[in-house]
Structures are given as structure tokens and as C-alpha cells.
Amino acid sequence: MGIFGAPRLKRIAFLIVAAALFYLMIFSVAKGHLLLGGGASVALTFLMIWGSRLGASDATEKVTKKIKQYSEQATWSGTELIVKPMWFKRLCFSLALLAVFLPCLNGALTFQLVEEGELSLFVFLVSASLVLGYTAWITLAGLVREVQVGYSLKIDSDGFAIAGHPTIPWRDVYRVGHWYREDRGFVYHFLDFELSASGIQEHWKSRVRPFLIGPLAIALPIMRRRGTFKLRGVFLSLPVPTIVTAICEIGSRHSPNPVVQLNPRESLDDARKLAVLWAKASQPIDQSEQESAFKRATSSSSKPEGVVDSVDLDAAMAKIGKEFSARSHAFDEYWQLKAKVMSQGNKPFQKQMEHDAKMLTRIFAGAILVIPIYFLGRWVLG
């Protein structure tokens, strides 16, 4: 494999060449070699354009791999899902927090203010002790409540339950999705919920309990009287897409309305309509009645009279035709509504992209104008 074979080697080579061209441009201009400096600036511009394409290609490949991975993880079937607690991981995380918390607490308690400049150090120790201590407490409390009940999440016919808190019935569960965030090479996964605000107030009545035993994510909707929150997936023993699929499938069986996947571009009503239409379009057709009618017609034709009674057969074929027609109609309605929803949801993104494109064009045009103005100024000033 050549130096440009792997994406990481491509980026390293790009940075080396870009740095060399940049320093060549600076030193050439400083020494008065304007022609060489102009050539280096043009080469650097073309390299930046190529680099943007390289970054776009790497990003596309990365997104493709993630989509494939998430689609594989989003396969699940069954009647209930019990997400087991990751007690060892929680325990290790708690011990690590305590290992940092205890020295900070000891430093804050034994701190002696000798010089005026040391006040900031004392404030830092007190703040770190409070933050680390509370984080360690919440982590240990989460460990205790999960080990006590034997699960982190429980998804069954009764509803959706977080360890240590009452079950939310399916009538109050609207949508759930997989949300993730990348930061410095690390990917953080979240369960993104949309529940009934009144259902949360009815079943999660205590506003203090989440602050004492966690998770803190459910404290916000309780305090704000809202139904949306994100549950961090760090201590979940199953992939988030698997849990999302289980919640949607089990919830749709036991809820008056289908529990659908959360898409910020779709309203709740549109998402439910799409789910109902897709269920109708993908529902298998029962051909047992048609097969029975064929058997009866075949048996009647083998009799001495040889008369085929086609009444049952015609009725079965008509029923099959109606079912095929209903599926085709539901499929057409689904794609029409899907196109409408996507068109409406894409408008804000298109406006933002147009705004960003105009801004980049202005910045690039300004950067291009600066170079000849600089060279012209040096020529005028001699």
C-alpha cells in the first residue's frame, strides 16, 4: 500500500505538504521573491481544495460504516427486553472518581491560606471536591439501584422502566431514538426519549429522587414539566439501536398508538401516520383461504360429475385482490407522505446550507483579494 493508501497517511502527507507550502510562501514574500510566493500561494489554494475533497471522502466512508453498524445493531425480536446492569464498569468508574475526590477534599479541608494569590487554588479544590463528590455519589447510587432490582432498563408489556423509578405505561411513551455525539475521536451514544409530559408528572412525582439516586437526565423533564430527555448510554449493556428497536416493537403492540422512532424532521402525528401506513403496506397476505378454495375446486373436479364449483374460488381470489390493492394503496400513501415530510423537514437545513455557502464564498473572495492588494501595496511603496 502506498503512502496515499490509508486515510491517516493521506492526512499526514497533506499536513506536511501544506506546512511546507505555507512556510515557502511566507519566506518568499519576506525575501522579496513575489513570483515564487505567488506560486506557492496558488499551490496552497489548490491543495486546500483537494484536502477538503479528501476530508469529505473520509467523512462519507466513516458515515457509511456507522450506518451499516447501526443497522446491524438495530435488529431485535422478542416479547420483552431486560437490559442488565454493568455493575463492574460502574464500580470502576466510581472508584476512579473517589481516587481523585478524596485528595481534593483533603486538600480543601487542610488548606491554609498563607498568601493572597492562593485563594484561587482553594476555590478550585472546593469546587472540584463538590463536583467529583456528587458525581461519585450519583454513580454509586445508580449502581445500588440497578443491582437491587436486577436491571438497568426493563421493557415489557407493562411499559418502560428505569431502575429505581416507577414504570411509564406505553400510552405515555411517544417516540424514542438513537442520538450520538463525537468528541475528539470518542462517540457518545444516547437514548433520545419523547414521553407524555403529564405521564411523567403522574408516575415520576418526586422532584428530589432523581437528584439523589439518578439518573440526572430525568430530573430535567420533571422540573421543566416536559417530556423530552436524553439518557446516556455509557452504562447500558446493549447497543442503543437495539434498545430503540425493542421499545418501538414492544410499545407498538401494547399502546393505542404506535411507538415510533424519533426523527427531528417529523412531527409526532406524521411519524405515527407513516408507521401505520408502513405496517399496512408490509403486512403479509394470508393465502390459506385461497389454498383451501383451490383444494375444494380440485376435489370437486375429480368427482364423476366433473363440475367445478368456482364460487369459493372466485370469492377467495377477490379477497386476495382487495388485499393486494389495499397494500398498494397504503404503499403509495406512505411514499407520498414521506416525500412531503422530507420536503418540509429539509427546508430549514437548506436555508442554513445556503447561508453557510454564501458566508464561505465571501470569506474566500476576501482572502483572494487580500493577496493582490498586498503585492500591489509593496510595489507602490517600493
Side-chain angles (χ1 to χ4, degrees):
M1 182 180 293
I3 190 171
F4 294 103
R8 181 173 296 180
L9 294 179
K10 286 182 180 180
R11 289 191 289 269
I12 293 174
F14 168 78
L15 291 175
I16 293 174
V17 176
L21 288 174
F22 177 77
Y23 286 114
L24 177 62
M25 180 182 66
I26 296 298
F27 287 125
S28 299
V29 173
K31 295 293 184 179
H33 302 295
L34 302 182
L35 184 61
L36 182 60
S41 65
V42 172
L44 182 60
T45 302
F46 280 106
L47 183 65
M48 295 299 292
I49 295 173
W50 178 81
S52 64
R53 293 179 179 178
L54 175 64
S57 176
D58 292 343
T60 302
E61 183 180 356
K62 191 174 182 181
V63 169
T64 303
K65 289 182 179 179
K66 284 184 179 180
I67 292 175
K68 183 179 179 181
Q69 177 187 2
Y70 295 156
S71 62
E72 292 174 352
Q73 293 176 348
T75 55
W76 179 88
S77 61
T79 57
E80 67 175 15
L81 180 66
I82 306 297
V83 182
K84 297 296 183 179
M86 299 183 67
W87 63 269
F88 184 73
K89 185 176 182 179
R90 275 193 182 272
L91 181 60
C92 293
F93 191 72
S94 302
L95 293 177
L97 288 172
L98 290 174
V100 183
F101 161 70
L102 292 176
C104 291
L105 179 62
N106 181 65
L109 294 177
T110 59
F111 190 86
Q112 295 181 358
L113 189 62
V114 179
E115 298 180 3
E116 184 178 354
E118 294 180 349
L119 180 60
S120 58
L121 177 60
F122 176 72
V123 173
F124 170 77
L125 290 174
V126 172
S127 302
S129 300
L130 292 175
V131 173
L132 293 171
Y134 182 67
T135 305
W137 168 264
I138 285 293
T139 307
L140 286 172
L143 173 64
V144 172
R145 61 181 170 82
E146 290 181 358
V147 172
Q148 185 178 7
V149 299
Y151 62 83
S152 297
L153 302 175
K154 184 175 70 172
I155 304 140
D156 56 12
S157 58
D158 294 331
F160 163 76
I162 298 176
H165 299 276
T167 301
I168 300 292
W170 289 119
R171 66 174 182 273
D172 295 321
V173 181
Y174 294 162
R175 294 193 286 183
V176 61
H178 172 214
W179 188 82
Y180 67 93
R181 176 174 58 87
E182 293 188 40
D183 185 14
R184 298 178 183 178
F186 294 95
V187 182
Y188 302 95
H189 299 270
F190 298 84
L191 269 170
D192 198 355
F193 285 98
E194 182 179 346
L195 309 182
S196 168
S198 59
I200 287 179
Q201 299 299 322
E202 178 183 355
H203 298 282
W204 292 343
K205 297 180 180 180
S206 176
R207 298 186 178 185
V208 180
R209 187 178 179 87
F211 289 101
L212 295 178
I213 66 172
L216 294 178
I218 71 173
L220 295 178
I222 295 174
M223 297 293 292
R224 298 177 180 177
R225 297 183 176 273
R226 297 177 60 183
T228 58
F229 64 94
K230 289 179 174 62
L231 191 64
R232 187 180 290 270
V234 176
F235 298 113
L236 296 177
S237 58
L238 290 176
V240 173
T242 304
I243 301 174
V244 170
T245 302
I247 292 175
C248 291
E249 291 190 7
I250 298 176
S252 297
R253 296 172 196 163
H254 303 282
S255 175
N257 295 304
V259 179
V260 295
Q261 292 200 20
L262 183 60
N263 187 341
R265 302 187 184 187
E266 298 174 356
S267 65
L268 178 60
D269 292 336
D270 288 337
R272 285 175 171 175
K273 290 177 183 177
L274 287 171
V276 171
L277 290 172
W278 181 254
K280 291 181 180 179
S282 58
Q283 184 177 6
I285 295 177
D286 185 10
Q287 298 184 358
S288 59
E289 187 175 347
Q290 180 188 12
E291 293 174 357
S292 300
F294 269 116
K295 289 180 181 179
R296 289 194 297 269
T298 303
S299 61
S300 63
S301 64
S302 62
K303 292 181 179 179
E305 297 81 3
V307 179
V308 177
D309 186 7
S310 62
V311 176
D312 291 343
L313 184 59
D314 292 341
M317 293 298 294
K319 184 177 180 181
I320 291 290
K322 289 181 180 178
E323 292 182 359
F324 270 113
S325 178
R327 285 184 57 180
S328 177
H329 184 66
F331 195 74
D332 292 339
E333 286 189 9
Y334 172 84
W335 284 112
Q336 290 176 4
L337 181 58
K338 187 71 173 179
K340 180 181 177 181
V341 169
M342 291 180 64
S343 176
Q344 293 176 350
N346 285 334
K347 288 181 180 179
F349 293 93
Q350 291 175 354
K351 290 182 179 179
Q352 184 64 35
M353 290 180 62
E354 291 175 358
H355 178 269
D356 294 341
K358 290 180 180 178
M359 184 63 66
L360 288 175
T361 302
R362 292 170 183 172
I363 293 174
F364 189 71
I368 292 177
L369 289 174
V370 166
I371 297 175
I373 291 174
Y374 172 77
F375 289 149
L376 181 61
R378 285 182 60 90
W379 180 74
V380 171
L381 295 176

